[in-house]
Amino acid sequence: MKTIIEPFRIKSVEPITMTTPQEREQHLTEAGFNLFLLRARHVLIDLLTDSGTGAMSAEQWAGIMRGDESYAGADSFFRFEKTLRDITGFKNILPTHQGRASERILFQLVGGEGKVVPNNTHFDTTLANIEHSGALAVNLPIPEGMDPKNRHPFKGNMDIQALEALIAEVGADNIPVVMLTITNNSGGGQPVSLENIRAVRAVCQKHGLPFYLDACRFAENAWFIKMREEGQRDRPVREIVREIFDLSDGATISAKKDGMVNMGGVLLMRDDNLFQEATNLLILTEGYITYGGLAGRDLEAMAQGFEEILREDYLQYRIRSTAYLGERLLDMGVQIIEPPGGHAIYVDAAAFCPHIPAEQFPGQAVVCGLYREGGIRACEIGSVMFGQHETPSMELVRLAIPRRVYTQSHIDYVLEVFEALFARSDSLRGMRIIKEPPALRHFTARFAEI
Ligand SMILES: *Cc1c(COP(=O)(O)O)cnc(C)c1O
């Protein structure tokens, strides 16, 4: 069969309702043209993020009922720990309430003034946590990763020469960890090859540096390796995943992505001493070691989610359905980051409305346009998100696909809205910020149209 169907059927539904153009205009104005400040009930198709927005399976809901809510030593923790041990091979495993909690614990321990942390591309919360510790976050993507039209199969790769140059420049003593984000979210949801992961590992080994993964989408990344990397096609995804984790010394994971839960995170550490320190910090700020700021039922759902994500029929459908959206957009002339990524399609907003300069936030103009046109919520990833820190090389709009939530007809509707907006893209207006917080401004800034 040619059609790759959703490998599930729907057991529980949630209505979504359309608003009128007048209502959307009012909602947008009240939200200060910041889609994060909209009420979710006023959104028809919500592509703001794939984080914590997925649908849980019947087995996960069953786990919710089974959850052991004992303060210490709950069965649910041991099921969670066993699952993560089986998948990653790590002995030292902590639950946290979400990915940034894992990042905060890690960088509170290894960050600080004078330290430098390289990554292929830091995710926004990773960057903010590193800087909050006083350290410097450095992005080292391969040059192909910066070119929207380049169809390199692993555009998420780290530039190995640039990593070597950075180590030579700042000194290995000042680099507490080297990180690699799989898949590279801020770099377009692009995968990292096994070859590149091995190469980063080798550089780290040579200089005695710990190698950490930001492993939020480890399964999607492994699927790309299986599909695109020579000699990997016949390996089970589970085996590729295990090799990736075997190469690393630790990982921060948001379980809201490939963990398929609405809330949860994981921190993995090879080093027993560091793990002991992390455990102490966890107890101080998140909760006891067998719940880490979560309910027992959350740990059950996570354990089940991390199993389900490795199902290859799911991964095939997941990556194919994201590609479907991306390929149709390309067909209608909308430039996206090519090739389509794993969890999201990234539209080149600078190309979508070339009349709007970067300092007037073309990405923000496009996300407001999509909401006005059809009640779709997308996320700006450009000068609004990163402009307080640096000048980003691309102005992007991310269409993130929640896991197991929308069907193909929802996506066909999104494509129709895009077609209409693209036809009148020259009428989109630039934006200016009228109010912003000191960091992570995209969440709460307010805008006015120019
Ligand atoms: C979501 C995400 C994080 C942060 O996780 P939260 O659960 O949102 O705190 C970190 N890194 C990457 C790559 C992510 O996608």
Side-chain angles (χ1 to χ4, degrees):
M1 296 301 143
K2 192 162 103 262
T3 305
I4 294 166
I5 62 166
E6 288 86 355
F8 49 81
R9 54 185 179 176
I10 296 165
K11 193 178 209 124
S12 179
V13 297
E14 188 181 9
I16 50 174
T17 46
M18 190 57 166
T19 45
T20 65
Q22 292 77 7
E23 285 168 340
R24 290 197 292 280
E25 203 56 47
Q26 190 193 336
H27 299 324
L28 200 57
T29 310
E30 282 171 8
F33 297 94
N34 184 342
L35 289 268
F36 280 100
L37 301 178
L38 279 180
R39 286 194 180 214
R41 68 161 55 250
H42 297 149
V43 175
L44 185 69
I45 309 269
D46 204 343
L47 307 181
L48 185 68
T49 174
D50 66 321
S51 179
T53 54
M56 292 210 295
S57 67
E59 273 308 310
Q60 285 180 292
W61 283 109
I64 292 279
M65 289 307 294
R66 258 196 317 270
D68 177 352
E69 304 301 342
S70 305
Y71 188 94
D75 275 351
S76 301
F77 170 76
F78 292 109
R79 184 177 172 215
F80 160 81
E81 187 187 50
K82 181 179 184 309
T83 304
L84 268 292
R85 274 189 183 156
D86 288 349
I87 293 170
T88 68
F90 272 80
K91 175 170 67 83
N92 299 328
I93 295 163
L94 289 177
T96 59
H97 81 274
Q98 63 182 106
R100 73 196 66 182
S102 304
E103 294 166 355
R104 201 260 309 151
I105 291 171
L106 175 64
F107 292 110
Q108 196 167 329
L109 293 173
V110 307
E113 216 64 55
K115 300 282 170 57
V116 179
V117 182
N119 202 328
N120 44 356
T121 312
H122 289 282
F123 183 66
D124 58 357
T125 59
T126 322
L127 182 135
N129 269 295
I130 290 169
E131 294 197 332
H132 185 70
S133 82
L136 182 69
V138 178
N139 293 333
L140 304 173
I142 55 169
E144 291 89 336
M146 313 300 284
D147 170 9
K149 289 189 181 154
N150 194 308
R151 290 192 77 105
H152 189 290
F154 291 102
K155 284 172 88 172
N157 283 357
M158 181 181 271
D159 186 332
I160 301 295
Q161 279 179 336
L163 176 62
E164 285 277 21
L166 181 78
I167 296 169
E169 184 195 328
V170 305
D173 289 349
N174 294 317
I175 300 179
V177 291
V178 174
M179 281 195 100
L180 202 52
T181 304
I182 58 169
T183 55
N184 188 3
N185 187 350
S186 306
Q190 299 290 328
V192 179
S193 71
L194 196 52
E195 187 190 15
N196 192 252
I197 298 172
R198 289 175 182 149
V200 174
R201 164 78 192 171
V203 172
C204 288
Q205 227 157 11
K206 190 168 94 187
H207 297 279
L209 297 174
F211 170 40
Y212 270 66
L213 297 167
D214 177 342
C216 295
R217 297 178 184 81
F218 66 94
E220 291 176 5
N221 199 95
W223 180 258
F224 280 115
I225 287 172
K226 181 179 169 101
M227 289 298 111
R228 294 182 182 171
E229 196 157 342
E230 215 182 301
Q232 301 298 321
R233 190 55 81 100
D234 296 328
R235 292 178 79 188
V237 162
R238 184 179 276 275
E239 190 183 303
I240 298 171
V241 164
R242 181 56 188 269
E243 181 179 346
I244 293 170
F245 281 107
D246 280 347
L247 289 164
S248 76
D249 299 304
T252 56
I253 305 177
S254 168
K256 301 170 71 172
K257 287 55 175 274
D258 278 359
M260 303 255 248
V261 288
N262 304 118
M263 192 55 68
V266 187
L267 179 60
L268 307 175
M269 286 176 162
R270 200 78 70 191
D271 183 319
D272 291 329
N273 294 328
L274 193 63
F275 181 70
Q276 192 52 56
E277 289 182 56
T279 300
N280 298 343
L281 258 187
L282 186 88
I283 295 171
L284 186 68
T285 57
E286 287 276 300
Y288 187 60
I289 47 174
T290 60
Y291 71 85
L294 294 167
R297 53 184 171 269
D298 296 329
L299 296 168
E300 286 281 342
M302 249 203 284
Q304 181 63 27
F306 278 118
E307 281 296 336
E308 289 176 11
I309 198 70
L310 295 175
R311 286 191 53 168
E312 302 200 1
D313 58 351
Y314 165 79
L315 286 168
Q316 180 189 39
Y317 139 79
R318 168 75 175 161
I319 301 306
R320 181 66 205 120
S321 56
T322 305
Y324 173 82
L325 172 60
E327 284 162 10
R328 292 298 174 287
L329 285 172
L330 283 169
D331 289 346
M332 73 174 74
V334 174
Q335 186 59 51
I336 64 163
I337 292 192
E338 296 182 63
H343 68 292
I345 294 300
Y346 293 69
V347 173
D348 183 344
F352 197 92
C353 38
H355 61 290
I356 303 179
E359 58 278 13
Q360 292 182 15
F361 310 121
Q364 198 64 23
V366 173
V367 297
C368 289
L370 287 170
Y371 180 70
R372 274 196 173 113
E373 193 72 38
I376 295 166
R377 178 156 69 170
C379 184
E380 193 268 6
I381 300 204
S383 287
V384 176
M385 187 179 274
F386 294 113
Q388 283 173 305
H389 176 75
E390 58 181 11
T391 306
S393 55
M394 291 187 270
E395 297 294 334
L396 302 172
V397 167
R398 184 183 70 183
L399 308 167
I401 321 288
R403 292 169 182 76
R404 307 189 291 204
V405 170
Y406 294 116
T407 63
Q408 185 170 336
S409 65
H410 289 116
I411 298 301
D412 286 334
Y413 169 84
V414 171
L415 289 162
E416 284 172 22
V417 170
F418 252 100
E419 203 158 22
L421 188 68
F422 195 40
R424 62 169 190 84
S425 62
D426 54 0
S427 70
L428 289 173
R429 290 158 65 187
M431 315 281 262
R432 65 190 167 81
I433 291 178
I434 52 176
K435 189 164 169 267
E436 63 176 315
L440 295 175
R441 68 178 174 187
H442 51 289
F443 288 125
T444 53
R446 298 183 78 87
F447 300 84
E449 282 189 300
I450 291 169

